Amino acid sequence: MPLKRMHFQFCLQTSYKAAIKVSAALKQGHITPTELCQKCLSIIKKTKFLNAYITVSEEVALKQAEESEKRYKKGHSLGDLDGIPIAVKDNFSTSGIETTCASNMLRGYVPPYNATVVQKLLDQGALLMGKTNLDEFAMGSGSTDGVFGPVKNPWSYSKQYREKRKQKSHCENEDSNWLITGGSSGGSAAAVSAFTCFAALGSDTGGSTRNPAAHCGLVGLKPSYGLVSRHGLIPLVNSMDVPGILTRCVDDAAIVLGVLAGHDPKDSTTIQDPVKPFVLPSLTDVSKLCIGIPKEYLTPELSSEVRSLWSKAANLFESEGAKVIEVSLPHTSYSIVCYHVLCTSEVASNMARFDGLEYGHRCDIDVSTEAMYAATRREGFNDVVRGRILSGNFFLLKENYENYFVKAQKVRRLIANDFVTVFNSGVDVLLTPTTLSEAVPYTEFIKEDNRTRSAQDDIFTQAANMAGLPAVSVPMALSNQGLPIGLQFIGRAFCDQELLTIAKWFEKQVQFPVIQLQELMDDCSSVFENEKLASVSLKQ
Amino acid sequence: MPRFPPSLNSSLDLKSILQHLQILWYLFLMHLCLELCRIGLSKKAFEAFHIKDVWNWPWQLWNENWNLNIVHYIFQNLSLFVQVLNRRCVEAAVMTGLALNCRINKKSLFDRKHYFYADLPAGYQITQQRLPIAVNGSLVYSFCAGKNRSQVINKTARVKQIQLEQDSGKSLHDDLRSQTLIDLNRAGVGLLEVVLEPDMSCGEEAATAVRELQLILQALGTSQANMAEGQLRVDANISVHHPGEPLGVRTEVKNLNSARFLAKAIDYEIQRQINELENGGEILNETRSFDSKLGCTIPMRDKEGKQDYRFMPEPNLPPLLLYDTESLPAGADPQQVIDIDRIREQLPELPSVTREKLVQQYGMLPEHSFTLLNEVGLLEFFQNVMKETRAEPKKVTSWVLNTLLGFLKQQNLAVSESPVTPSALAELLNLLDRKAISSSAAKQVFEELWRNEGKTPAQIVSEKKLELMQDQEALEQLCHAVMEGHPQVVMDVKKGNPRAINKLIGLVRKATLSRADPTVIKEILEKKLAS
């Protein structure tokens, strides 16, 4: 027994780091899927105050775990993800499980089908722990604007951050000073960051996966547009939406991408070419690589800390023999405005389906259909969504279409061409910041409105969506405040594997520290303490 | 809330004014919508899901008290999908385009058209506004005019474009309970919209053109094109103007569910517009619906105000690329590409060709060829009779078009419901052809067959003793007896009254129970009278 217990603890300890390792532990029988599932469920309960989950699908997860366990006993595991707990952003349709988009409009909506990406994960034996919180309809960059309330960043409660704060000896109320996760996939980021699961699906329209990944010290991957099916992802901006992947290491992101990638007859924009499952090689030599540093990304708003880490990263590549060159993406400054026009236009179009008739919320007004539409939409959508619908419809009006929408489409082409030019000049991958600074306290964040925040926070990320390129945020180091800072790599279209290979090399070099949450766990979990798991698993 | 059209206070009397129509005024432009998909399996044009799953999903009524109930709600949980295109719909569009002599665009684009309407689940319709799948075609139709409708006039309506669209649901307005019911069964089904140029000038032309289109679609198998079932729907855009002046303001008439109503609605609308203008009024660019009971068009109140459809490119559907033999990429998977030339090769015979063949092969009158094709199944019936009979094509045509069709019409039956089978009719015509029965006896046999008591024509003939008297001697005796019995008539004949012999023939026929050939009787009588 002691031996077995030791194994279990050991594997949990390592497993907190990466799905790939817990997968090995499952295969070797050091831990069973049910044990793993129960452990994660208990952490979910302990971290409930983070507000990472909208729905916890405990029963479903336990049942899936039981089935996974049977497979392992028979020696028929389905693969690396069999028995691995995952979470899914609440804008992916899940059969039989409420899918709300954090909006009153879809409260109580239970889809009859699974999104293709969800189905693919389930087919691999993954355990669905629940649906994670977000900004309403994924419109936002803080995960603060959903109907279920804001998501709290687990790093607010980390030993690393708390110690720094004590040094500074601010005597403010600790509870009111929690940090935002970034967004809009903040719930997914918090869920992975707080060890409630090993990987989570986010969605990425302008940076919604990479932004919270950077703020929560995770790997956040936005695959190439067309590589992963959007079927069942409740649409925001069809021409930019991509399912995103949040994990604790690059290898995990690669495993999940390997499962998700490929043609889907239900999504015409997915590529027809078969996608081979890939194992990331460990890069030892970067001397043949050319890293581009886009000079336009050096904006005045960039915090000095992020800036110096960015330059440190460039130096790291250079010192290991890679060619690091400054490149220009001349249309970058138009990108965020252009993104705003295209995004709101498609939002206006996609939100038209929520009229109170077919699904979701319907108001009580029955004077006329028009009055019912208006009241339903006023009650169902928050200010952010309504504001975007309004501006989007303005841009699509007959008299404005040419001046706004068509022009924005043209600029979008120029932005995409900027990337093509750079990549054609021999650059393998671009290295940029993911965010302007580290995560800020909620009280600070809400001083600006959602639109301003989104415009600021998407500045480095939305261009990849405009051009359909793969991009990944990798955590690099902790700031002076003890908070994670991530950097972004942008690759050539459909060269996701190469992108991840470079990200993996970088991850290995920087050795980003694991979040230390024992205080949080101690505070909140006597069970955890009793089982002596917290200290074992979270020491490091 | 879409409201039920208000009823008119008085019916309008138009007859007195309909006269100065054709010369001074024209109407123009018709949009024809026709549904493409035939049956279940690939029913949704833009929605990819297993139909089975959908049907398993339970029905649900929303807020019983609410006056806008969802009757059936396939879409309720499903229109959050991204859309994909159904290959079969694209093929059908290409076929139709080719049959209407269109240029097929090798690249076509999809757009979203936004408007709020209770039966439009996504809040927008996917259509092809900028670059449709086919353009610049023509629809040639002929209609019979003149005395006895024996003069066939060929007309051409130019086809502006053919576009692929998504159908919406169906609103059913329940005036009594002041509620609207929405049937979403057909929402998302593929529609092919054919837009014709303003080349038609009266209701009958429009109805004939639509009929021809219907036949073409049925021949292609792209639609059953049944107007009553909404498989083919016509919206007519009508305007009037003085010759030489630009086209007037047009109105759109909806709710036309038969060719007859189409013709009626157009003629009504032309007259209404003329009246309006002549009384100093103006024509509003509005949508009107046709009330078949009142026979008039009424403004539809729910589409008040100008709509800005806020068109934008459909981001979920990449440009639709079609190929021909030349442009077909080497090694392309036939399942992934559509080859226009291959579809062209497989195009079935079109109705105009079929009619021409009938005229040439059987020496049929052109108007008869129209009737044969216009009735569903009648051509096949005719051809089946032809296969089994030695009778003259003209005779067969006459029997099929007059006798059979007359009986069918009288009882309001479809050709497929005819109690007389093609073989039975063929057998009957064979008996007639070899003079085994007289034509009046043949009519009698046909009536017996129509009663459908499972007897063959031959059985009926023998049971009813309808065969012609072949016994020359017996016939001569009968003639003799008749002549003896009517000396006065015989005298008349001998006096040179040429019509008197007909009376004798009639009397002999009566004596034979109409079983003798009048020409044979006449021969015998003449011989006897001459002697």
Side-chain angles (χ1 to χ4, degrees), chain A residues 110-414:
Chain A
V110 179
Y113 66 101
N114 278 322
T116 301
V117 283
V118 172
Q119 192 58 52
K120 281 186 166 184
L121 288 172
L122 296 182
D123 289 346
Q124 290 292 312
L127 317 179
L128 179 58
M129 308 308 289
K131 305 294 293 291
T132 58
N133 205 347
L134 63 154
D135 286 301
E136 182 161 334
F137 282 103
M139 296 184 210
S141 60
S143 300
T144 52
D145 283 327
V147 76
F148 300 102
V151 186
K152 297 177 179 177
N153 192 327
W155 284 85
S156 320
Y157 309 93
S158 71
K159 194 177 163 195
Q160 292 103 320
Y161 178 63
R162 296 235 159 173
E163 276 176 2
K164 297 277 180 182
R165 286 192 68 78
K166 271 177 206 158
Q167 286 166 17
K168 287 179 188 169
S169 68
H170 289 302
C171 302
E172 294 161 77
N173 183 352
E174 296 243 317
D175 274 353
S176 67
N177 255 304
W178 53 270
L179 309 155
I180 58 138
T181 52
S184 63
S185 312
S188 289
V192 178
S193 177
F195 305 114
T196 68
C197 60
F198 289 83
L201 290 182
S203 62
D204 196 313
T205 306
S208 282
T209 294
R210 289 159 287 160
N211 177 288
H215 285 329
C216 296
L218 299 173
V219 173
L221 171 68
K222 172 223 171 287
S224 299
Y225 184 85
L227 188 62
V228 178
S229 168
R230 301 163 304 140
H231 171 78
L233 167 61
I234 293 172
L236 176 63
V237 182
N238 299 109
S239 68
M240 299 189 213
D241 289 344
V242 180
I245 299 163
L246 289 137
T247 55
R248 291 197 278 273
C249 71
V250 176
D251 275 321
D252 286 359
I255 291 171
V256 176
L257 181 65
V259 168
L260 301 186
H263 179 65
D264 179 5
K266 290 170 184 161
D267 180 353
S268 305
T269 63
T270 49
I271 44 154
Q272 302 273 350
D273 313 335
V275 178
K276 287 178 203 145
F278 42 81
V279 177
L280 285 187
S282 289
L283 207 59
T284 48
D285 177 18
V286 291
S287 65
K288 291 196 177 67
L289 284 182
C290 179
I291 312 290
I293 310 289
K295 63 178 182 189
E296 289 82 4
Y297 281 56
L298 190 61
T299 63
E301 297 86 3
L302 188 63
S303 76
S304 57
E305 244 180 316
V306 177
R307 188 179 161 175
S308 76
L309 278 176
W310 183 21
S311 126
K312 215 172 136 191
N315 290 340
L316 172 67
F317 275 99
E318 202 158 34
S319 66
E320 293 293 323
K323 193 171 146 197
V324 177
I325 56 165
E326 186 183 270
V327 296
S328 173
L329 300 164
H331 297 95
T332 300
S333 61
Y334 307 109
S335 193
I336 194 81
V337 182
C338 172
Y339 171 77
H340 181 70
V341 174
L342 296 177
C343 168
T344 54
S345 298
E346 287 198 40
V347 162
S349 174
N350 282 324
M351 294 295 131
R353 73 198 65 219
F354 301 106
D355 57 9
L357 279 172
E358 285 84 16
Y359 29 64
H361 178 71
R362 183 192 288 179
C363 74
D364 295 325
I365 293 170
D366 62 355
V367 191
S368 71
T369 310
E370 285 72 23
M372 188 276 288
Y373 288 155
T376 296
R377 288 163 71 81
R378 190 173 56 242
E379 290 168 14
F381 294 140
N382 69 6
D383 290 350
V384 178
V385 179
R386 288 211 306 278
R388 289 201 192 182
I389 291 171
L390 195 64
S391 40
N393 277 325
F394 175 80
F395 297 137
L396 288 177
L397 285 178
K398 214 174 188 176
E399 73 236 47
N400 296 333
Y401 183 75
E402 289 288 325
N403 288 335
Y404 292 95
F405 189 82
V406 172
K407 282 213 174 112
Q409 289 281 37
K410 287 178 181 165
V411 176
R412 180 179 188 174
R413 174 59 62 89
L414 292 175

Side-chain angles (χ1 to χ4, degrees), chain B residues 144 148-149 355 358-359 362-383 385-386 392-410 415 418 425 429 443 446 450:
Chain B
C144 305
N148 305 325
R149 310 182 64 81
R355 281 192 291 256
L358 286 172
V359 171
Y362 302 119
M364 194 180 285
L365 291 171
E367 62 263 34
H368 288 163
S369 71
F370 275 96
T371 319
L372 266 188
L373 259 74
N374 279 350
E375 295 299 325
V376 179
L378 197 59
L379 175 66
E380 202 190 347
F381 193 103
F382 170 81
Q383 283 166 334
V385 176
M386 283 305 293
E392 287 275 302
K394 270 189 186 163
K395 198 110 201 161
V396 179
T397 310
S398 157
W399 272 83
V400 169
L401 291 186
N402 299 328
T403 317
L404 176 75
L405 197 55
F407 272 73
L408 288 170
K409 287 264 152 98
Q410 203 180 4
V415 175
S418 164
L425 183 59
L429 293 178
K443 290 261 153 61
F446 188 86
W450 189 264

